[in-house]
Structures are given as C-alpha cells and as structure tokens.
Amino acid sequence: MEFEPLDQYLQRRKKLTEIEALGHLAHPHRFDWTHTPRQILGQFGDSTAEELSAKNIEVRVAGRVVALRPHGKAGFGHLAGDGEKLQFYVRLDVVGENAFKLFQLLDLGDIVGVSGHLFRTKTNELTVKVEKLQLLTKALLPPPEKWHGLTDTEIRYRRRYLDLIGNEKAREIFLRRAQIVRELRRFFDERGYVEVETPMMHPILGGATARPFVTHHNTLDMDLYLRIAPELYLKRLVVGGLDRVYEINRNFRNEGIDAIHQPEFTMLEFYQAYSDGPTLMDLTEELLRGLAEKVCSGRKVAFGEREIDFSRFERLSMRGAIRKFWPAEAGAAPSVEELAAKGGPRKVAARYNYFAKAKGVDAVESDENTSDGELIGELFETIAEQHLVQPTFIYDFPVEISPLAKRREDDPSLAERFELFIAGMEVANGFSELNDPDDQERRFREQVEKGGQEMPKEVDLDYIRALSHGLPPTAGEGIGIDRLVMLLTNSHAIREVILFPLLRHTAEADAAAAAGQETSLKPPDERSK
RNA sequence: AGGGGCGUAGCUCAGUGGUAGAGCAGCGGCCUUUUAAGCCGAAGGUCGUGGGUUCGAUCCCCACCGCCCCUACCA
C-alpha cells in the first residue's frame, strides 16, 4: 500500500533502505530508556550548566522527532514524548560516521532513541549531547505542517492521530477529559456508589425518548436496539439492593449531528436509594463545583466570550423561567396561574406566537394533540433555554414530558424533576424516580399508544415486574459527559471532545466500494458480487 | 432537509478575464551551539468536477461533489 503524498512517502522509503544498509534495524524491538522527555525537564529543568556538568547525568530517552536543524557536521533536533519536547545535539566527532549518517537520514516524525549526557547550550537550553543514536521507527509519512499544525477540521477528526501530534490543544483536551472522568469516578466511589455495566443492546426501547439504532442478533433471530439510555437497567439494580449505582458509558441515538449532538455520546447515570430530586441538585452542585476547581483550578471557567461561574447555581421553576425570559414586546408575562390552568399554556403559546410571527423569531410548535405539559416544555425551550448561560437548575417539569419521574406530592401535574443548563446546553437531568408500578405501567401504555419512532413498541413488563418487587424511594440523574468536557475545556463543538466523532463516509470509501472492494457489513452470503 | 461560506502546490495561504505566486515541507549543495536556523540551487499545479458565456475562464454563469457554519429533530 502506498499513501499520499506519494513523493514524500517514496522518498522516506528510500531513506529507510539506506538506513538499513548502514546496519540499523527498521523496527527494533526495544529501547531501554531511563527517562521520558517530561521527566528530564521535570528533574533537571532547574539545574544550571555547572550542576549538570558536575553531576555528569547520563540519560537514554526516546520520542518522535519534531524538529531538525542540521548544521553540516553537527545538528540539533527536538524529541517529543510524554507531552514535552527535549532538545538533542548530534556531532559527527562524538557519534561517529555511521550514526551521523543516520542522523542525516532522519525525517520529521521519525521515532528515535538517544543516549548521552545532559548539558546546556549557549542559549541555556537543556539538551542531550547524543553519544548514541538509534532509529526506533521510521515514519513513512510526514507529520502535520510545523507552523500552523493541522488545521483542516475534517482531517483533524478523521485522522485524530495527526491532530494529537500536531496540535497541543487537542492533546490537552483529551487528557483533561480523562481527568474529568477519573474525578467523576472518584466522587462516586468515595460516596459508596458501585460502578456497573448494563446492556448496550436492548430488546425493548426505553429510558428516554429518542430514535434508536436497530441491529439484529442472528442466532437468536432477534432485533435489538442500541441503548438510548441505561436507566431502566440501573433502577432494576436498585431494586436488587445495589442502593447506589453509577455507570459511565455510551448511549446511541439515531438523530441529527451538530455542534452539541453526536450519535454516540457518553453519559454518566447514577441512582441513589432513599433520596429525592431536590437532594440531587445539591449533590450536582457539589460535584460540578469540585470538578471545576480540580480540573480548571478555579470556580470561574472561561467559555468563549463568557465566563461560567460554578460557585453559584441558579434555581428556577420551568414556569418561572418562562415568566422570567418572556420578552417585554410580547406583552405582560403569563401568570403562574395561567400557566397552570387547564388549556392555559395553549393560550399563552398563541400569544407568544403572535409576537414571534410579527418579530420573525421562532414560534412555539404544537398541534391539536399537544398537551398542556408538552406546551409548557415547548414554551420553555423556545423562550428561556438559550438564556441559561450560568449554571441554572430548572425544576417542576410537567409530568407529561417526564414519563419516568415521580409526581410532586402537592401537585400531581408536575414531576419532581430538574435539568441543569449551562451555556444554553442541557447538561444534566435528574428526578425522583417513579416507583409506583401502576402509574409507571399507565405511562408506558400511553407512550406505546402515542407511537412514533422514538417511542417503545411494547411495554417493558419486566421493568414493571421489578417495580412490583419494590423500588425504594430513589433519585437518579444523568450527566452528559461530552458536554461537561466541552464546558471544562472551552470547546465549542462536541467533535472537539470525542476522539473519533462520526462523520459522513469518505470519497475514499466510496471509491473503494465502487472498485468492488468489500466495505459492507452485510454477512458474506448477502454481499453483492 | 433549507440558508450562508469555502474548495488554488503535500501543508498554510496570496492572486488575476490573457498560459500561476509566497512561506513551510520534500529534493541537491554549503554550514560543528541552533531553535519558525541560515545561505545557494532545482523541482513541484487538470486552480474540486462537469457544462456554459467568451477570441480566450482558475477568475463570470449553471449544475454536481466535498467540507464548515446557522436553522429544524434531538441530549
């Protein structure tokens, strides 16, 4: 196989042949290093030239060649490893003719090991004076352009390895993502939660409202859905006596792709028996504040032009948010009574839409079947959601749009549910879990009757059975990890925080398919010839 | 799906209705403390694809393809 840019690929192959002719192995098995570049800079970054020569420190260090500055019979280069760059200095009279020829045949991107003593150059840069140079791997293709890094967003996503080599920022994002996930685990582990893994392939759709991906198990001859949420399995575990559980894993939703949506995304869900929604709001605040402090070293986090302040979380009821952000030009904001009255939300929506049409902004969408509760949800999303930049909990969701949440004791039209919004994005969703099997079965049946691709086709009877065995009063919550990582890394597209985001398939793949190469996932007997 | 933007050397980008330009990378040469090393030299292009207007199109027009952004579904 040959790759573009072909001239450089062939040139590098030729150099590799020359290197082998010098007696070097193309792919040696090991290199006994003593330090990584990061460790050397960490340990000796403060040592003076005198200290270094007095201590006579010998190191063996490996990494990718990211800069080369040959000077005739000597030369400098930089070696990248472990996220740091270390300079090395090669002299013909030190390494000898053979190794110096190897140095001259090096290309940017090659992986080498150098052995030698540390010193400081004229410009006071900590440097390895190379006594022995070894090729560890030849790079047959060149690294990204050295000034601008890799800027083509498509290649950055499709060939993330190049993005990681060429763009320090990309590397930092994914290291921080790992740190965030580590802190989340620590937070829940410390509080006695058990981490579990529940099925990714579900026989019945449930746990959220979304269009699913469908797959098929051949031996069982059974259609399965890639899960849209783990919720119903996690609550089964609480029935089973795992009073505190969490899962960090992928969900799959067959919906659109944009700056804040990817078909597979990572969700943290956690459940806690003998608790309720309002308690989780406090816990969430503690969790996110602590994360910001640990990961971003402060409660105030830059996000684009704005600054997100995790020290204070606003709390607003959904109806209150509609009132608060009701535009003045649309007349008097609706009263709480009007929003709560039967048929009230429809009148309010009509009033808003009259304004929206005149003003040319988005209207509230509904039809004759839209319930009061659904209209409240629509009003909220249209009027308020975009304004929720600082961390804000919205609570008191209509029960119609909360099929798995417990009703409020004092108002059965409202669910004891909240969502957290930051920078206009929904980041978390939590509630007191509905644990009345009769009410749950009724709501499931309503969903099935309502129909649609995003609704279950059948009632999950085993889940009702589990509830019938008794789910303690429980609170649960889901937090979108990708969006959280966006906030804490100042990233404005979800693709920046997912290593290999899904993209349209490539012209390259299409060409391969056209040329008759097999790219289909169909079983062999169904493949076209 | 609709609206907007972009597509020129391997990369980052200039540019013009009259046969295409820089820096970096690559190639040859000089250079034993450089660091966006430097200097000299040569090479590199179907200007996204197809059609149209024109004496002549990379440039103007149309269509298509690809990517990005916004809007709609969605978390």
Side-chain angles (χ1 to χ4, degrees):
Chain A
M1 186 74 195
E2 290 172 340
F3 293 96
E4 296 291 331
L6 191 60
D7 57 333
Q8 299 197 31
Y9 180 80
L10 295 176
Q11 181 62 36
R12 283 168 179 244
R13 273 213 176 277
K14 190 175 141 214
K15 285 191 187 175
L16 178 57
T17 310
E18 292 173 40
I19 289 169
E20 286 177 302
L22 288 171
H24 300 275
L25 290 174
H27 300 99
H29 283 71
R30 55 185 297 124
F31 175 76
D32 288 313
W33 51 273
T34 56
H35 302 75
T36 67
R38 175 178 293 279
Q39 288 168 341
I40 288 175
L41 290 166
Q43 286 174 34
F44 307 107
D46 296 330
S47 305
T48 63
E50 294 71 32
E51 287 165 353
L52 288 175
S53 75
K55 285 187 199 154
N56 201 32
I57 300 144
E58 187 175 0
V59 297
R60 291 189 299 280
V61 56
R64 189 182 290 277
V65 175
V66 293
L68 278 174
R69 293 179 295 279
H71 288 265
K73 297 186 175 61
F76 291 91
H78 272 92
L79 209 59
D82 202 11
E84 280 289 358
K85 292 183 181 118
L86 177 68
Q87 182 167 258
F88 62 94
Y89 178 46
V90 181
R91 290 173 62 116
L92 171 61
D93 57 8
V94 175
V95 298
E97 213 160 288
N98 184 286
F100 198 76
K101 273 188 189 148
L102 170 61
F103 173 69
Q104 289 175 312
L105 288 166
L106 288 182
D107 286 303
L108 293 181
D110 287 351
I111 296 169
V112 300
V114 300
S115 313
H117 290 80
L118 293 177
F119 76 110
R120 280 190 186 274
T121 61
K122 263 189 201 168
T123 54
N124 208 34
E125 179 162 349
L126 184 63
T127 303
V128 184
K129 182 177 268 180
V130 177
E131 284 139 37
K132 196 174 171 200
L133 174 69
Q134 286 166 270
L135 180 75
L136 301 181
T137 302
K138 183 74 188 165
L140 296 174
L141 287 168
E145 209 256 3
K146 71 175 179 180
W147 287 6
H148 307 89
L150 183 61
T151 56
D152 183 316
T153 49
E154 191 186 354
I155 297 182
R156 287 189 47 231
Y157 299 145
R158 287 195 196 281
R159 305 187 200 159
R160 184 68 86 177
Y161 42 91
L162 293 182
D163 190 30
L164 291 167
I165 290 172
N167 298 322
E168 188 62 31
K169 170 88 176 139
R171 185 186 163 90
E172 281 167 14
I173 286 173
F174 292 105
L175 292 182
R176 185 171 286 184
R177 180 175 177 129
Q179 189 192 357
I180 289 165
V181 173
R182 208 156 53 231
E183 291 298 335
L184 289 172
R185 286 208 160 89
R186 199 222 307 262
F187 182 91
F188 288 100
D189 292 343
E190 276 171 357
R191 284 164 179 75
Y193 286 75
V194 177
E195 182 172 5
V196 296
E197 293 175 87
T198 63
M200 308 291 275
M201 297 192 288
H202 291 182
I204 299 173
L205 202 59
T209 312
R211 288 166 62 191
F213 289 94
V214 185
T215 187
H216 185 81
H217 190 280
N218 286 341
T219 309
L220 298 179
D221 189 20
M222 177 187 200
D223 280 337
L224 291 160
Y225 302 102
L226 297 191
R227 76 180 191 189
I228 56 171
E231 173 151 356
L232 300 184
Y233 286 93
L234 291 170
K235 282 189 280 192
R236 281 175 170 97
L237 295 177
V238 180
V239 170
L242 299 181
D243 284 352
R244 291 179 169 216
V245 291
Y246 74 97
E247 175 164 9
I248 297 175
N249 224 321
R250 232 66 68 80
N251 288 346
F252 306 86
R253 299 190 185 176
N254 207 339
E255 312 269 5
I257 295 178
D258 64 22
I260 56 170
H261 295 91
Q262 267 282 304
E264 53 179 299
F265 62 101
T266 302
M267 187 86 134
L268 158 69
E269 282 205 14
F270 59 96
Y271 291 83
Q272 175 173 333
Y274 312 110
S275 182
D276 58 18
T279 309
L280 287 194
M281 282 199 256
D282 295 336
L283 187 78
T284 305
E285 218 174 309
E286 187 185 345
L287 170 65
L288 295 195
R289 187 175 299 134
L291 258 184
E293 283 170 357
K294 279 200 174 121
V295 173
C296 301
S297 57
R299 292 179 173 188
K300 292 186 178 171
V301 175
F303 192 70
E305 305 288 292
R306 308 171 190 277
E307 185 177 68
I308 308 291
D309 186 354
F310 285 93
S311 43
R312 203 174 123 265
F313 285 53
E314 194 95 34
R315 297 189 186 198
L316 269 176
S317 73
M318 188 171 275
R319 289 167 183 165
I322 293 168
R323 284 162 48 77
K324 180 170 176 181
F325 296 103
W326 183 268
E329 302 127 281
S335 66
V336 172
E337 291 72 28
E338 189 178 7
L339 289 169
K342 189 165 165 30
R346 186 166 294 276
K347 288 181 198 150
V348 172
R351 230 156 74 211
Y352 181 80
N353 284 350
Y354 182 77
F355 151 80
K357 202 174 173 190
K359 181 95 184 187
V361 298
D362 285 343
V364 175
E365 286 185 24
S366 65
D367 57 35
E368 59 282 4
N369 295 324
T370 311
S371 67
D372 283 348
E374 287 168 326
L375 275 164
I376 290 284
E378 293 289 338
L379 279 164
F380 166 74
E381 284 174 24
T382 309
I383 296 170
E385 189 171 341
Q386 62 206 315
H387 299 290
L388 304 177
V389 173
Q390 294 305 324
T392 305
F393 288 111
I394 297 296
Y395 59 92
D396 279 354
F397 276 57
V399 79
E400 294 99 313
I401 56 172
S402 312
L404 299 163
K406 207 173 199 170
R407 296 169 198 268
R408 270 186 71 130
E409 264 181 303
D410 53 354
D411 184 347
S413 75
L414 294 177
E416 203 161 83
R417 172 182 174 195
F418 66 87
E419 285 187 348
L420 173 63
F421 291 86
I422 306 176
M425 292 190 288
E426 184 192 333
V427 172
N429 173 23
F431 41 86
S432 304
E433 302 300 334
L434 176 58
N435 59 350
D436 172 351
D438 295 336
D439 193 359
Q440 185 68 81
E441 186 179 349
R442 256 197 313 278
R443 296 202 214 170
F444 276 173
R445 293 206 183 282
E446 279 166 21
Q447 286 188 313
V448 172
E449 274 163 32
K450 194 156 189 192
Q453 287 182 300
E454 68 287 350
M455 290 294 181
K457 305 272 174 293
E458 56 182 301
V459 171
D460 190 339
L461 290 175
D462 182 68
Y463 181 68
I464 304 296
R465 174 167 33 226
L467 290 186
S468 302
H469 281 283
L471 174 68
T474 297
E477 181 174 341
I479 298 180
I481 300 300
D482 311 283
R483 290 180 180 179
L484 184 60
V485 174
M486 285 171 68
L487 289 169
L488 297 178
T489 56
N490 198 5
S491 301
H492 298 263
I494 198 166
R495 277 181 286 201
E496 293 294 330
V497 303
I498 291 176
L499 279 166
F500 297 101
L502 185 66
L503 304 174
R504 202 159 304 179
H505 51 258
T506 59
E508 196 176 59
D510 290 346
Q517 288 183 27
E518 193 49 67
T519 56
S520 165
L521 292 178
K522 281 183 208 158
D525 55 346
E526 289 173 31
R527 284 175 195 167
S528 54
K529 27 263 142 208

